[in-house]
Amino acid sequence: MPTEIPKQYVPSAAEAQWFPFWESHGYFNADPDPQKPPHVIMIPLPNVTGALHMGHALNGTIQDLLTRWRRMQGYVALWMPGTDHAGIATQAVVERRMKEQENLTRHDIGREALVARIWKWKDEYEKRIIGQQKKLGASCDWRRVRFTLDEVCSKAVRRTFFKMFRDGLIYRGKRLVNWDTFLQTAVADDEVYTEDVAGKFWTFSYPVADANGQPTDRKISFSTTRPETMLGDTAVCVHPTDERYLDLIGKQVQIPLNGRLIPIIADALLADKDLGTGCVKVTPAHDPNDYACWTRNKEKMGDPINLLNPDGTFNENAGPYAGLDRLAVREAVVTAMEQAGGFEKVEDRTIPLKFSDRSKTAIEPYLSDQWFVKMDELATKAVDAVKNRDVEFFPERYANSYLDWLEEKRDWCISRQLWWGHRIPVWTFPIGPNPSLSDELEEKINRIFGSDSFVMPELQKALAARMGGASDDKLAFQVSFNEVTGDWSALMCIGPDQEQLEQGFKAEFGDLQDPDVLDTWFSSALWPHATLGWPDLEHNPPMVESEQARSASDGSPAEEKNPALALRAGNAVLDYFYPGSVLVTSRDIITLWVARMVLTGLYNMGDVPFKHVHVHPKILDGFGQGMSKSKGNGVDPLDLIEKYGADGLRFTIASLAGETQDVRLPISYACPHCDALIPQTLEHQKAKPKEGKKPRVKCPKCKKDSQYTSANYDADVSEPVASMVSERFEYGRNFCNKLWNACRFALINLEGYTPGAIADADLALEDRWILSRLATVTDEVTRLLDKYQFDQATRALREFVWNEFCDWYLEMIKPRLRVVESSEENIPGTAVPGLRANCQRVLVTVVDTILRLLHPFTPFITEDLWQRLNEIAPERPGVESPESNIQSDTTDDAPMPWEAQGSPSLGSLTPQPAAAACIIASWPTGLERFRDPALETRFQRLQDLIGAVRNLRGVYNISPAAILDVYIRCQPDVAADLDVVAEQFGTLAKNRLVACGPDVARPPASASFSLGEADGYVPLEGLIDRTAELARQQKEAEKIRGFIAGHEKKLTNTSFVERAPAEVVQEIRDTLVTLNKQLASTEDVIQQLGG
RNA sequence: GGGCGAUUAACUCAGUUGGUUAGAGUGCCAUCCUUACAAGAUGGAAGUCACAGGUUCGAGUCCUGUAUCGCCCACCA
C-alpha cells in the first residue's frame, strides 16, 4: 500500500473523486432535526451575468469553511445556494451581445422574445457558476438551489409587494432618472459615466416684476450651462442670508422667453452665496438638485415643467420651440435672450457631462413616474436591530455604514425600466375625469369580479374619499389623479395567486400592467426567508432533484427518512432554519443588500434574517484596483484551481482573509508553452486589438509569445491562451504538498499498526509535547473561527503542521519507527522504552486530529488522506468526545464533555472506530487534558539548543554530512531532558551529544554558543580559524553588552521601576540575569581564545 | 465635502488590553538530491514601523496634524 501513494499531491484526482462521493452520500444535505441546532448561511447570490471571479472564491471559501466546521461540530449546517437574475446587468449583457452578433435591439424582437433569450443565458451561466462553486468544494445543499425569478422566490416577491402596497408603504412618485434619449430608456447610475467636455457658461438676467406682474428695471442675474432649460424654470433661488437679494425674496421675475412669472425663493441648500452671482435658476424637471429644491419648496412654486419628449426633442411645454432638438433650442434661447436684453456674458468652460455607457450619448435628467417604498418605519426597525445587537457586524466597524445609510431613511425607488425581472404587479385602471365610475366601467368591472363583487363598495368608498387604501387578500388599490391629463385612475395591486383576476383585467382593458420591473434588490432582500419557502407556511419548499441526490436518496423525500419531519405540519424548513446564523459578504453591498434583508426580514418574518454579518476583504489586483471582468484583471478561480488545486486556493484565500486590509493580488500570465509566470502590467489590461491583430505577451523564459485572457476581446480558440494566475497561491499548494508528504510518511510507517490503548507511561517526551501543542492549537483554531479570524487560524495550523509536527515531531520519532518488531523490547541507545506500536498509535492520533482540523480549510486532500488512513487504521485512539461537541453561544458556563468526565489521566487514549468520511468526522475536542505548558517550555529549550548547534554548522559552512560532537554545560534538569533525547540529536542536527551537565568544560579548538542557561561547545579542530572564532565571539559579546546596557538603563530609571507593573520589571530583571550569564560565558570563551 | 480604512523587509501581509532584541510567506545569498516532501532541508542577509508633533517610565500600537492610497456616500449653477 505505501508504494501507491504518489510523492506529490495530485489535486485533480482527489477533487474528481471526493466531491461526487460527498454529494452522493448526501453529506451536504441539511434537513430539520429537532435533536440538533441549525447553522444557516445564505449565499450572497451571484449574478447570472457571467462567470465567478476571485471575490466570489473568497466569499465562497469562507462560507464553505464555516459550514464544514459547524457540520463537524454537530450542527445541521445549511448553506443555501442560488443565483440572482440581476436585472440591469443581465439584460444589458444579453442586449449587447444581440446587438454585436445580430445587430438587433430589444425593440426589434419584443419583450417576450428578449426575456426568453435572457432565460437561456441564465441557464447557461447558472450552470457555469454552480460548476465553479462545486470545483471549489462548496458543500451547499444543492437540492435547495434557488433563483430569484423562480416560482418560490416570485411568490415571496408578489406577497411582499402586495403586503407593502396594502399597508400603504408603497407609493407612486416622481423621480429624475438618467434618460438615454437614443435608447429611450432610463439608465442606472452605474451605467453612466462622466466626461469633461468643452462647453459654455452663460450669464443671463430676468427682470423683477412689480405687484401687477409687470417687469421693472430691477434685474436678477444667474448663470447656467444649459440655457434651454430656462423654458422650464419655476423659480429663481437665492441664499436666505444673502444681503444682496434679501429684499427680493418673495417677489417675482418674468421669463422674457415666454412671459411666465416665477417666484424668487430662498433655499440655503441650493443657493451658494459664493458661487457665480449667488442666484440660481430652478428647473425641477431637468436637474436633480433643482428637483430636490422643489420638494422642499412645493408650495412656493408651481409643479415641475417637463420640456422633453422621450427622444430628446422639446415638447409642447416649450411653446414655439416644440419639436426642436435640445441643442437647437439652446441656440434659439440664447438669441432670444440677447434680443430681450437679458444676456450678460458668456465664457468657455469645461463641463462634466454624463453619458450613457450603452449608447455613448449624453444623458438628460428626465422626470418620470416611479414606485417607492416608504423607508421611515422599516428603516427605524432595521436600525434598532443592529443597535440592540440582534444583528452583529464582524468586524464591528462596518455597523457604521449600515446605520448611517439607514438613518437617512431615503425612500427606496423600486421600479426599473427594464424587461428582465419581476414585473410590478400593479394594473393602472383608467377612471376618467370624474372620481366615480361610469356605467361602462362598472360593467367591465362587474365582468371581472363577478356580480357579487367584493370590491365595488370599497372601491367606490375609496374613490369618494379620493384616496386609496382599501384592500383584502386579493386586491389592494390606491387612487391617483394626474394633474397633466386631468384624469383619475385606480392603481390596482393584484395579490399573489390571482391569475383569474389578472386574466379578467387583461380581457377587459388590455394589458394595463405596469411595464416596469422591480429593482433586483427587492427580490434579493427577501432571499433569507424566500428560499425557505415563505410565504407558504403549509409546506416545505420544493427541492431540485439532482442526479446525485436521486441516486443517493433512493428517491424518497427527506420527510420519509426523518420521521420527525413527517409528523410536523406546516413549513418545518422555514421554522427550523429561520433566522439564519451568519451572512458572509463584502462591504460594498452592506447598504444595498444587508440593510434591506434585515428590513424585509423584520417586516415579513418579525425577526432578523441572521445574527452575524461577517464582512470580508475585497480582492484587488497588484495595482490596487478592484477585480472585475471588465477591467481585465478578473482572475478565474478555475484557472487557479487547475494550477494550484482547489485546496491550495482555499488555504491561501483563507490566509488572506484578515480583518483590516483588502487583499492585493499581483497577477501573472502563465505561459502556455513553458508554464513560466509573466507579471501582468496595466498595458496588458488595457490592450485592444490593433488592425485586427490581437496583443500578445512574450515569455522571457522560452521566448515564445502567446495570446492572453483579456476583457476587451475573445481569444482565438485555435491556439493556447496564457491564463491569469497569481503565484501567491503557491503558499497553499506547497502547504498541501507538505501535509501530503507528512501523511505519506505516517502511512508508510503505520504498517503493522494495531489499535490499542496508550498508557500514560508509554508516552515519550515528544509524544506529550506534540499532544500538548495539538491541544493548544485546536483550542486556538476553534476560538479564531468563532471570531471569523481565518487568517490567524490558517497561520496557527500551518505553523503547527509544518514547523512542529513535521520539523520536530516526525523527525524525533524516526528512531522509534525504525525499530523492528523483534528487537522492540531492547533498543540500544534509545532514550525512551520506545515501542513502535505506541509510537504508531500516537502518530495516528495526531494525524487523525490534524486532518479534522484542516478539513474545513482543505477538504479534498484531508478527505483523501482520511480515507487512506481508514484503510490502515480503521480504529484509532480517539481524542474526540462521543457526545455532540456543540458549544452553545449562550451557555458559556455549561461544562464541556471532557470537563464532565473529571480529569482523566494522560493514558486514556482508547481506540474507537473512525468516521466513514472526514467531512462527517467530529470537530476535535477533549484534548484539553494534554495541555502542559511547563513541558512546552522545556521542549522549547531543547529546540533552542538544537538551533544553536545548527547555527554553528551554518556559520562555519560545515558539510551536512560531517557529524559533530557537542558538549553542553547546563543545569542537571536541562541535562536530564537532553539525555532523554540524546539519540534524536543525530536525527535533528547530525550531531553526537558527547556530554552534558554542570561540569562540562570547553574542549580546545571549539566553536561555542551561550543561551544563558546552557552553553554549548563543538570541537572543530582544523575546521575553524581561531581568529575568526574570536572575532565572532567578540561581536556576539558586543551585542549582548548592548542589550544589557539597555536593560540596566531601564532598571536605573526610578520612574520605570516605580510606575511599570511589577511583572514587567521582574521580566526585565530576569532577562538581565540571563544576558549576564550569556555575557560571562562568552567572555570566558574569548579569554580562552586569547582575546 | 462627509464617513471608514490603510501606509511595517525587495514583494504580499501579521503584529492581541502600550512592555524584553518588530515577525511570517515569497524573493535573494550560501550549503545540501540526508531512505515523507527540491512544491524540500539547514543557515544567512534584509526594516528610520509614511512624515511631524504630543501623551507616557515606556509608542509599530494611544492622541493631533500632514502626505499618499483605497472604498462607501453626498455633491460639483
Side-chain angles (χ1 to χ4, degrees):
Chain A
M1 130 125 214
T3 49
E4 290 166 22
I5 309 173
K7 270 189 152 189
Q8 262 192 5
Y9 171 53
V10 186
S12 53
E15 288 159 22
Q17 183 176 5
W18 300 114
F19 196 89
F21 168 83
W22 294 324
E23 199 171 19
S24 64
H25 282 79
Y27 292 145
F28 301 161
N29 298 349
D31 293 305
D33 178 351
Q35 305 302 314
K36 292 174 165 187
H39 186 270
V40 183
I41 297 181
M42 298 290 174
I43 201 167
L45 50 196
N47 297 343
V48 287
T49 42
L52 303 185
H53 53 70
M54 284 308 299
H56 296 107
L58 168 65
N59 183 254
T61 296
I62 292 176
Q63 293 172 81
D64 192 51
L65 203 159
L66 289 169
T67 300
R68 286 178 186 268
W69 171 52
R70 293 300 193 185
R71 188 183 290 125
M72 290 173 85
Q73 281 192 320
Y75 289 82
V76 175
L78 169 63
W79 183 16
M80 174 71 76
T83 50
D84 186 25
H85 68 280
I88 293 170
T90 317
Q91 184 173 324
V93 169
V94 174
E95 279 191 69
R96 198 183 311 131
R97 283 176 69 99
M98 207 163 74
K99 183 81 190 165
E100 279 167 15
Q101 295 173 358
E102 302 163 62
N103 198 26
L104 290 173
T105 70
R106 69 169 190 270
H107 300 290
D108 296 329
I109 66 166
R111 185 164 189 148
E112 245 173 75
L114 181 78
V115 169
R117 277 174 182 243
I118 305 176
W119 270 102
K120 247 181 92 183
W121 171 276
K122 170 257 166 186
D123 287 341
E124 186 186 323
Y125 272 89
E126 183 182 56
K127 221 170 127 187
R128 194 161 156 195
I129 287 167
I130 290 176
Q132 283 178 307
Q133 289 169 331
K134 289 187 174 180
K135 280 291 275 181
L136 195 67
S139 64
C140 298
D141 187 344
W142 293 105
R143 303 167 307 163
R144 300 190 184 275
V145 66
R146 290 262 91 90
F147 176 56
T148 45
L149 279 178
D150 70 18
E151 211 191 321
V152 172
C153 291
S154 295
K155 275 191 180 160
V157 166
R158 283 293 290 267
R159 170 59 61 186
T160 306
F161 188 95
F162 185 77
K163 209 173 146 215
M164 286 180 164
F165 189 95
R166 204 178 53 190
D167 290 351
L169 293 173
I170 284 181
Y171 68 94
R172 194 126 172 89
K174 299 276 186 196
R175 182 189 173 98
L176 276 179
V177 295
N178 302 310
W179 190 257
D180 182 326
T181 56
F182 182 78
L183 296 173
Q184 302 196 20
T185 179
V187 184
D189 283 342
D190 58 4
E191 284 189 305
V192 166
Y193 63 96
T194 307
E195 237 173 52
D196 283 338
V197 297
K200 286 188 162 54
F201 188 68
W202 286 269
T203 304
F204 298 108
S205 63
Y206 286 156
V208 178
D210 62 19
N212 301 319
Q214 293 305 308
T216 63
D217 287 344
R218 183 84 189 270
K219 289 183 171 184
I220 187 161
S221 37
F222 55 88
S223 301
T224 179
T225 56
R226 296 192 297 160
E228 68 277 14
T229 60
M230 287 159 68
L231 295 164
D233 283 355
T234 57
V236 292
C237 174
V238 298
H239 195 273
T241 62
D242 193 334
E243 290 174 4
R244 290 171 290 181
Y245 305 113
L246 277 182
D247 61 317
L248 293 177
I249 296 169
K251 294 194 170 162
Q252 291 186 305
V253 294
Q254 189 181 45
I255 304 175
L257 298 164
N258 51 21
R260 249 180 336 109
L261 291 170
I262 54 174
I264 300 170
I265 59 162
D267 187 284
L269 291 178
L270 186 67
D272 185 333
K273 281 190 278 191
D274 303 324
L275 280 177
T277 64
C279 171
V280 192
K281 66 192 218 51
V282 186
T283 324
H286 296 285
D287 183 280
N289 297 313
D290 294 1
Y291 181 73
C293 174
W294 174 74
T295 60
R296 293 188 293 268
N297 300 282
K298 276 182 190 175
E299 66 292 342
K300 293 186 200 125
M301 58 173 120
D303 288 327
I305 299 168
N306 175 28
L307 296 168
L308 281 181
N309 291 314
D311 64 358
T313 59
F314 272 50
N315 65 22
E316 66 282 1
N317 288 332
Y321 305 96
L324 292 177
D325 179 77
R326 58 187 192 273
L327 291 178
V329 177
R330 180 174 298 177
E331 277 182 41
V333 162
V334 171
T335 311
M337 282 301 284
E338 277 168 354
Q339 284 164 1
F343 171 82
E344 292 194 354
K345 61 177 176 180
V346 61
E347 56 190 78
D348 290 326
R349 187 178 272 208
T350 41
I351 302 159
L353 197 61
K354 285 182 175 179
F355 290 88
S356 165
D357 204 26
R358 286 198 267 157
S359 69
K360 314 293 176 197
T361 58
I363 286 290
E364 287 294 327
Y366 190 64
L367 203 57
S368 66
D369 286 322
Q370 302 289 340
W371 292 97
F372 292 86
V373 175
K374 264 186 211 144
M375 289 297 271
D376 191 18
E377 206 177 313
L378 293 172
T380 306
K381 284 188 176 159
V383 164
D384 291 344
V386 166
K387 286 192 170 163
N388 301 338
R389 300 197 154 262
D390 293 335
V391 175
E392 284 182 275
F393 279 83
F394 293 83
E396 222 173 335
R397 64 175 183 275
Y398 288 113
N400 287 338
S401 331
Y402 173 100
L403 292 172
D404 290 351
W405 187 79
L406 275 179
E407 276 166 356
E408 277 184 45
K409 297 183 179 173
R410 268 186 301 168
D411 286 351
W412 176 12
C413 178
I414 51 170
S415 44
R416 294 290 182 272
Q417 291 67 52
L418 295 171
W419 291 351
W420 174 243
H422 297 278
R423 197 154 163 192
I424 290 178
V426 174
W427 281 252
T428 302
F429 173 82
I431 292 172
N434 300 310
S436 62
L437 297 183
S438 68
D439 291 347
E440 189 199 342
L441 276 179
E442 207 164 324
E443 265 175 47
K444 282 187 176 184
I445 287 171
N446 279 335
R447 278 203 294 274
I448 297 170
F449 296 110
S451 51
D452 54 342
S453 164
F454 49 87
V455 169
M456 287 312 293
E458 303 214 24
L459 178 56
Q460 278 166 336
K461 202 165 73 191
L463 289 173
R466 294 189 172 196
M467 288 294 291
S471 62
D472 60 25
D473 270 355
K474 295 172 182 155
L475 193 68
F477 54 84
Q478 301 169 4
V479 175
S480 84
F481 180 67
N482 186 324
E483 286 89 347
V484 179
T485 61
D487 282 331
W488 289 87
S489 50
L491 307 178
M492 304 280 200
C493 180
I494 301 179
D497 305 316
Q498 300 299 318
E499 284 86 2
Q500 258 190 312
L501 271 185
E502 290 182 26
Q503 299 293 328
F505 265 101
K506 207 166 176 180
E508 296 298 333
F509 295 100
D511 191 356
L512 294 179
Q513 186 175 2
D514 198 299
D516 290 357
V517 299
L518 287 166
D519 179 12
T520 290
W521 299 109
F522 192 89
S523 48
S524 35
L526 309 175
W527 189 244
H529 52 284
T531 50
L532 298 173
W534 184 91
D536 186 344
L537 304 179
E538 305 304 316
H539 311 89
N540 288 330
M543 295 196 280
V544 194
E545 283 279 313
S546 71
E547 273 170 49
Q548 285 94 338
R550 239 196 313 277
S551 61
S553 68
D554 55 52
S556 58
E559 286 94 86
E560 282 176 36
K561 285 197 283 182
N562 188 343
L565 282 184
L567 293 176
R568 280 187 93 154
N571 185 343
V573 169
L574 182 63
D575 273 359
Y576 182 77
F577 289 119
Y578 195 93
S581 312
V582 54
L583 180 83
V584 178
T585 188
S586 96
R587 65 174 171 277
D588 35 16
I589 49 175
I590 289 175
T591 53
L592 291 172
W593 192 45
V594 179
R596 283 165 180 164
M597 279 193 287
V598 175
L599 193 138
T600 62
L602 290 167
Y603 180 65
N604 283 336
M605 297 292 298
D607 199 354
V608 294
F610 31 73
K611 308 284 186 201
H612 291 174
V613 178
H614 168 60
V615 180
H616 58 66
K618 283 177 69 101
I619 299 214
L620 313 173
D621 69 6
F623 309 101
Q625 319 176 88
M627 273 197 183
S628 74
K629 212 182 163 189
S630 58
K631 264 195 203 124
N633 58 7
V635 178
D636 186 339
L638 291 187
D639 288 338
L640 293 172
I641 289 173
E642 199 186 318
K643 197 162 168 57
Y644 303 103
D647 288 332
L649 172 68
R650 290 172 60 117
F651 193 79
T652 309
I653 281 181
S655 80
L656 298 172
E659 291 197 300
T660 51
Q661 299 223 46
D662 285 340
V663 177
R664 252 179 207 240
L665 208 63
I667 297 168
S668 297
Y669 294 104
C671 172
H673 307 292
C674 70
D675 232 27
L677 296 182
I678 310 150
Q680 186 194 49
T681 62
L682 286 170
E683 285 67 42
H684 289 131
Q685 288 183 14
K686 288 182 199 137
K688 286 181 181 165
K690 254 188 218 159
E691 292 154 13
K693 288 187 89 176
K694 288 171 183 170
R696 302 181 73 82
V697 62
K698 187 168 178 185
C699 174
K701 195 174 148 200
C702 69
K703 310 292 180 198
K704 291 183 189 161
D705 64 359
S706 55
Q707 55 175 350
Y708 57 87
T709 313
S710 168
N712 301 321
Y713 54 91
D714 290 328
D716 289 326
V717 284
S718 54
E719 61 163 319
V721 185
S723 62
M724 274 188 274
V725 297
S726 174
E727 54 186 325
R728 298 282 306 277
F729 293 96
E730 288 176 6
Y731 178 80
R733 180 199 58 180
N734 293 358
F735 175 69
C736 287
N737 200 50
K738 187 71 181 178
L739 174 72
W740 179 260
N741 278 293
C743 291
R744 178 168 176 266
F745 172 81
L747 290 165
I748 290 169
N749 284 288
L750 283 175
E751 223 178 289
Y753 164 83
T754 51
I758 311 171
D760 192 349
D762 294 333
L763 292 171
L765 176 73
E766 64 266 23
D767 294 339
R768 292 174 185 230
W769 171 74
I770 199 71
L771 288 169
S772 174
R773 293 294 308 137
L774 186 60
T776 306
V777 82
T778 298
D779 179 58
E780 209 178 330
V781 169
T782 309
R783 273 195 353 258
L784 289 168
L785 289 183
D786 249 324
K787 293 189 286 185
Y788 307 103
Q789 294 180 350
F790 308 103
D791 57 334
Q792 294 192 52
T794 50
R795 231 167 287 133
L797 281 166
R798 183 184 187 280
E799 210 178 295
F800 174 74
V801 171
W802 200 313
N803 305 116
E804 300 190 310
F805 178 65
C806 292
D807 289 351
W808 292 93
Y809 184 71
L810 288 186
E811 293 305 324
M812 290 181 80
I813 62 172
K814 278 178 179 173
R816 280 195 286 161
L817 290 173
R818 283 198 202 106
V819 168
V820 278
E821 294 294 329
S822 55
S823 64
E824 227 181 46
E825 295 308 316
N826 254 322
I827 306 121
T830 304
V832 185
L835 297 167
R836 179 176 152 96
N838 274 331
C839 184
Q840 287 177 325
R841 287 168 194 157
V842 177
L843 178 60
V844 113
T845 303
V846 178
V847 169
D848 170 281
T849 309
I850 285 174
L851 291 178
R852 283 187 285 152
L853 288 173
L854 278 170
H855 181 79
F857 298 83
T858 54
F860 294 106
I861 189 175
T862 49
E863 188 65 72
D864 197 289
L865 292 166
W866 182 272
Q867 298 295 338
R868 289 171 192 269
L869 191 63
N870 275 6
E871 279 178 36
I872 198 160
E875 278 188 32
R876 35 199 195 243
V879 287
E880 69 191 75
S881 141
E883 303 300 318
S884 156
N885 60 14
I886 292 161
Q887 298 185 25
S888 162
D889 293 337
T890 45
T891 54
D892 281 351
D893 301 334
M896 291 291 116
W898 63 87
E899 290 171 342
Q901 294 163 11
S903 188
S905 75
L906 283 176
S908 63
L909 288 176
T910 49
Q912 302 172 6
C918 196
I919 187 177
I920 50 162
S922 65
W923 184 250
T925 59
L927 286 157
E928 206 58 16
R929 60 177 180 264
F930 292 108
R931 284 183 81 162
D932 187 345
L935 178 87
E936 289 188 21
T937 310
R938 276 164 62 204
F939 202 86
Q940 182 63 52
R941 215 152 49 188
L942 210 69
Q943 291 176 310
D944 291 345
L945 275 171
I946 301 273
V949 176
R950 284 171 173 171
N951 177 275
L952 285 186
R953 190 185 287 274
V955 166
Y956 284 105
N957 215 346
I958 295 163
S959 147
I963 293 181
L964 303 178
D965 286 343
V966 177
Y967 297 78
I968 288 172
R969 182 170 62 205
C970 59
Q971 291 309 302
D973 60 323
V974 180
D977 278 344
L978 287 177
D979 274 333
V980 164
V981 294
E983 174 72 3
Q984 278 98 327
F985 257 70
T987 329
L988 294 167
K990 272 275 158 70
N991 297 315
R992 189 163 49 225
L993 182 58
V994 178
C996 63
D999 306 322
V1000 169
R1002 176 177 175 274
S1006 297
S1008 61
F1009 59 85
S1010 172
L1011 298 176
E1013 58 195 1
D1015 300 324
Y1017 310 104
V1018 179
L1020 289 176
E1021 192 74 58
L1023 287 171
I1024 61 162
D1025 174 354
R1026 173 184 277 260
T1027 14
E1029 174 68 3
L1030 180 61
R1032 196 178 74 88
Q1033 294 294 343
Q1034 271 166 342
K1035 200 177 153 198
E1036 182 68 19
E1038 217 30 64
K1039 201 168 119 198
I1040 299 170
R1041 282 191 201 102
F1043 295 150
I1044 289 175
H1047 283 61
E1048 278 175 344
K1049 193 178 156 200
K1050 273 196 175 170
L1051 290 170
T1052 50
N1053 180 343
T1054 44
S1055 4
F1056 171 70
V1057 179
E1058 279 164 22
R1059 298 201 198 185
E1063 61 270 22
V1064 172
V1065 177
Q1066 192 53 45
E1067 242 178 298
I1068 299 278
R1069 290 206 169 104
D1070 293 347
T1071 314
L1072 188 58
V1073 170
T1074 310
L1075 284 170
N1076 276 321
K1077 275 193 211 162
Q1078 254 178 289
L1079 182 62
S1081 345
T1082 310
E1083 281 173 337
D1084 194 36
V1085 169
I1086 289 171
Q1087 203 192 357
Q1088 290 183 38
L1089 287 167

